[in-house]
Amino acid sequence: MNTQFNGVNVVITGATGVIGSTFVKALVEKGANVGILGRSEDKIIELQDEIDKDRKQTVGLVADVLDKESLTKAKQTYNDKFGKIAVLINGAGGNNPNATTNDEMYDATGDKTFFDLTEEGVDNVFKLNYTGTFLPSQVFGKDVVEATAGTIINISSMNAFTPLTKIPAYSGAKASVSNFTQWLSTYFAGHIRVNAIAPGFFETHQNKALLRNEDGSYSERASKILSQTPMNRFGEPEDILGTLYWLMDNEMSGFVTGIVVPVDGGFSSYAGV
Ligand SMILES: NC(=O)c1ccc[n+]([C@@H]2O[C@H](COP(=O)([O-])OP(=O)(O)OC[C@H]3O[C@@H](n4cnc5c(N)ncnc54)[C@H](O)[C@@H]3O)[C@@H](O)[C@H]2O)c1
């Protein structure tokens, strides 16, 4: 076992998702005590059985990032097992089909244009990404600000820099996560560091419908993304780990706060020509 984060107390939201579970596995491997926060107890147990059978380094936290009461209970459960939290990783987030247009540009004859998006879908996306980062920061942040070298790491996205076609709400919501990261970093500057990671394009459950055709081949959108990514591939969740370790480690990034780090194979630097 690598001991870089031996005994460091970490809570990860969205922890059973593709990126979140990669973080959980990596941080357990590096010695951290990890709170695995998600809505499904079954998924949490499945992950624990895989990486921490005797539950020495993990605790399951069944909670919804939009429900403050469940987060408060989760904090208590974590505190009872491992003590105070030093690192919060806000990994829960995502898009919603009712806030996604079918076409990249307006076609009055098309179906699911901008005019068909639902208020409920749009609200859902803003709530999940913004409020779902805000509330855990309030609840778990109380411990983090008291920790030596406490830090909060949010997950933003490429669409926060420049909106992506089809997903106006998800783009706006992730821009708000980047903005909130800057706000929080300033507000708590004398106490903790707050940064965000903006992953480029990773194939996960939530974007499968946009990236794959029914027969499994790449969609037109996926091919377009690859053509705009100088490194010409999708990211693997493991590609994000080095940035996560760097931002978590106060010796390595102790003067770094309020930034959003792209991990994108060059996507955000390439103008397309
Ligand atoms: N996959 C990509 O290409 C990509 C790119 C940029 C940013 N992101 C962001 O990375 C983060 C992780 O996404 P992922 O790709 O692993 O997707 P994912 O869908 O596998 O993971 C998201 C997790 O959040 C959980 N979640 C959703 N609503 C929740 C709620 N109300 N309470 C608690 N948990 C909730 C989901 O159950 C899931 O486990 C998200 O914030 C996502 O927006 C992903």
Side-chain angles (χ1 to χ4, degrees):
M1 186 193 284
N2 178 319
T3 54
Q4 183 178 7
F5 297 116
N6 224 3
V8 174
N9 285 353
V10 182
V11 166
I12 304 178
T13 74
T16 60
V18 176
I19 293 175
S21 62
T22 304
F23 288 1
V24 172
K25 289 175 196 170
L27 293 180
V28 165
E29 184 63 32
K30 283 183 177 288
N33 299 318
V34 181
I36 302 175
L37 190 146
R39 289 169 302 175
S40 156
E41 188 168 23
D42 289 349
K43 284 189 185 166
I44 293 171
I45 289 172
E46 201 181 312
L47 183 56
Q48 286 182 301
D49 286 345
E50 190 190 331
I51 56 162
D52 183 35
K53 276 200 175 53
D54 52 10
R55 309 302 194 250
K56 277 196 177 140
Q57 269 181 264
T58 63
V59 59
L61 306 173
V62 180
D64 185 322
V65 292
L66 299 177
D67 176 1
K68 201 167 177 181
E69 209 179 303
S70 73
L71 293 170
T72 304
K73 276 191 197 144
K75 178 175 178 293
Q76 193 58 55
T77 305
Y78 188 96
N79 290 157
D80 289 346
K81 179 149 183 181
F82 293 122
K84 297 222 171 195
I85 299 145
V87 179
L88 169 65
I89 301 169
N90 281 309
N95 191 23
N96 184 293
N98 294 325
T100 305
T101 64
N102 276 354
D103 291 324
E104 292 193 342
M105 290 190 194
Y106 183 50
D107 171 358
T109 64
D111 55 335
K112 206 144 70 91
T113 72
F114 170 72
F115 298 111
D116 300 312
L117 304 187
T118 69
E119 189 177 340
E120 197 190 355
V122 171
D123 279 351
N124 174 295
V125 174
F126 270 89
K127 272 204 129 178
L128 171 57
N129 293 281
Y130 185 80
T131 312
T133 299
F134 187 97
L135 290 178
S137 299
Q138 267 194 330
V139 173
F140 301 111
K142 282 204 169 143
D143 276 5
V144 178
V145 293
E146 287 172 14
T148 312
T151 193
I152 296 177
I153 297 170
N154 297 327
I155 306 296
S156 185
S157 168
M158 280 303 105
N159 58 33
F161 301 107
T162 307
L164 298 178
T165 56
K166 299 187 179 185
I167 51 173
Y170 187 42
S171 298
K174 285 300 193 187
S176 77
V177 170
S178 292
N179 189 282
F180 178 57
T181 301
Q182 293 177 310
W183 187 89
L184 213 56
S185 72
T186 303
Y187 186 74
F188 284 125
H191 305 270
I192 61 171
R193 297 181 302 111
V194 184
N195 294 289
I197 298 172
F201 296 87
F202 296 74
E203 268 195 272
T204 58
H205 317 297
Q206 69 184 36
N207 60 20
K208 203 169 183 179
L210 285 169
L211 299 183
R212 293 278 178 180
N213 296 317
E214 271 174 18
D215 65 4
S217 59
Y218 279 141
S219 65
E220 200 186 325
R221 189 174 178 85
S223 304
K224 213 167 165 182
I225 289 167
L226 289 176
S227 75
Q228 298 286 319
T229 302
M231 290 180 78
N232 196 32
R233 67 171 175 88
F234 285 101
E236 300 292 336
E238 288 74 15
D239 287 322
I240 309 173
L241 292 175
T243 305
L244 176 73
Y245 302 153
W246 172 61
L247 290 175
M248 273 179 65
D249 189 333
N250 201 51
E251 282 187 25
M252 308 276 279
S253 60
F255 198 47
V256 176
T257 196
I259 65 165
V260 181
V261 186
V263 181
D264 66 348
F267 181 90
S268 58
S269 292
Y270 181 47
V273 287

